[in-house]
Amino acid sequence: MQQTEVRALAQLLNRHRGRTAVFTGAGISTESGIPDFRSPGTGLWSHIDPMEYLSVDALYARPQTFWRYFDQVFGPTLDAEPNAGHIALATLEQSGYVHTIITQNIDGLHQKAEAQNVLEVHGHLRTVHCRSCGRTYPMQQALEQLPKEPVPRCEQCGKTVRPDVVLFGDMMPHAFSQALQAVERSQLVLVVGSSLTVSPANTLAFQAPHLAIVNRDPTLADRRADVVLYGTAGEALTAVVEELAIGHQ
Ligand code: APR
């Protein structure tokens, strides 16, 4: 682990204590067994076309294929557990360093790690809603209808339901405007586990005067960052929390 960068990140968090927002991507959940999207070879998009399976068009044009893929890929995520990275970020929030955790992830692992102020800018896996009458159901209840039903349907009106995640082609949810307000009132944004390639979510990383990045691989924004820590989120963030705890800033 790069001790110099760990100490530099701890100093930055201490200097901007309480005025820091975190922005996470799929990379923080790979240590919970959930693949990310763009890691060469293992990322989801390295072997399927997201537009083919996770877009609004795909949902409306090929609902059966959409739901079969959705169940296969995201069904297991419902049972995933938070890892050391999620726990370290929740600790930074509980100890007053971080005021908001903004996530592109739909896995709910920040909340499972007891983080309190989480903004899900790409939605979440907890529920689905009926495209016709708007009624909401738990995701588990919808997936249980498969495979005997070709697609999950609303128990109220019988129309097909859709997941409460942001699909390619969807408008951004209210959480995105809340996230924009959160970063605009921050002095530091700490990015963890994101390639920063998807807009408009990635614009959130660049709204504060200071930027820090914890990522396994280089990102598009490394040159703009005050501190870049290359490594796995769990190990890196745990080291930063330990550095802050022992007060070595
Ligand atoms: N620790 C730290 N970084 C990691 C780890 C790890 N254990 N595992 C992977 N990474 C890094 C990878 O190096 C990669 O740069 O996390 C990054 C993940 O990038 P992406 O797969 O592009 O995920 P993300 O940035 O969240 O994608 C944004 O794209 O498809 C859409 O809606 C989807 O929310 C997603 C959005």
Side-chain angles (χ1 to χ4, degrees):
M1 182 51 55
Q2 310 149 36
Q3 200 48 40
T4 312
E5 283 75 10
V6 166
R7 185 156 299 170
L9 180 49
Q11 287 169 343
L12 209 52
L13 284 164
N14 204 39
R15 189 173 318 131
H16 303 297
R17 182 186 179 121
R19 291 171 300 168
T20 296
V22 169
F23 179 70
T24 64
I28 195 169
S29 295
T30 55
E31 292 164 75
S32 294
I34 302 172
D36 66 12
F37 297 97
R38 294 174 184 82
S39 283
T42 55
L44 274 180
W45 302 157
S46 55
H47 41 273
I48 63 118
D49 171 9
M51 295 305 164
E52 191 65 27
Y53 289 90
L54 264 188
S55 63
V56 177
D57 291 345
L59 171 65
Y60 294 164
R62 297 177 298 283
Q64 197 168 333
T65 309
F66 174 93
W67 274 108
R68 189 167 57 245
Y69 170 80
F70 195 90
D71 183 23
Q72 175 198 330
V73 170
F74 294 111
T77 300
L78 297 175
D79 302 324
E81 289 300 323
N83 62 61
H86 298 102
I87 292 164
L89 289 180
T91 303
L92 288 175
E93 182 198 42
Q94 287 148 12
S95 44
Y97 288 94
V98 164
H99 59 69
T100 307
I101 295 176
I102 300 160
T103 188
Q104 299 171 95
N105 302 338
I106 58 177
D107 55 34
L109 293 184
H110 288 301
Q111 293 93 323
K112 282 188 181 177
E114 308 293 324
Q116 299 303 309
N117 189 22
V118 180
L119 295 174
E120 295 166 310
V121 297
H122 285 163
H124 56 79
L125 281 176
R126 291 182 294 278
T127 56
V128 301
H129 71 268
C130 176
R131 291 161 46 195
S132 175
C133 71
R135 189 179 163 132
T136 298
Y137 300 92
M139 175 64 74
Q140 198 59 52
Q141 189 177 326
L143 295 181
E144 278 163 5
Q145 295 182 33
L146 307 173
K148 60 182 183 303
E149 294 294 331
V151 293
R153 293 189 175 281
C154 173
E155 288 166 12
Q156 181 89 6
C157 71
K159 294 287 194 305
T160 54
V161 297
R162 62 151 288 169
D164 288 324
V165 302
V166 176
L167 300 171
F168 288 98
D170 268 331
M171 300 277 288
M172 290 303 275
H174 177 54
F176 180 74
S177 45
Q178 292 174 300
L180 204 48
Q181 287 165 20
V183 292
E184 283 172 345
R185 65 181 171 83
S186 300
Q187 283 298 306
L188 169 66
V189 173
L190 167 59
V191 175
V192 181
S194 179
S195 62
L196 292 171
T197 49
V198 171
S199 66
N202 59 357
T203 59
L204 295 168
F206 311 119
Q207 306 299 323
H210 299 280
L211 171 66
I213 297 172
V214 172
N215 208 56
R216 192 192 56 211
D217 301 318
T219 78
L220 302 173
D222 290 359
R223 281 192 318 280
R224 301 172 58 165
D226 300 52
V227 175
V228 181
L229 222 176
Y230 294 116
T232 57
E235 186 187 6
L237 293 173
T238 302
V240 171
V241 167
E242 283 164 3
E243 187 69 24
L244 288 166
I246 55 182
H248 271 189
Q249 295 85 29

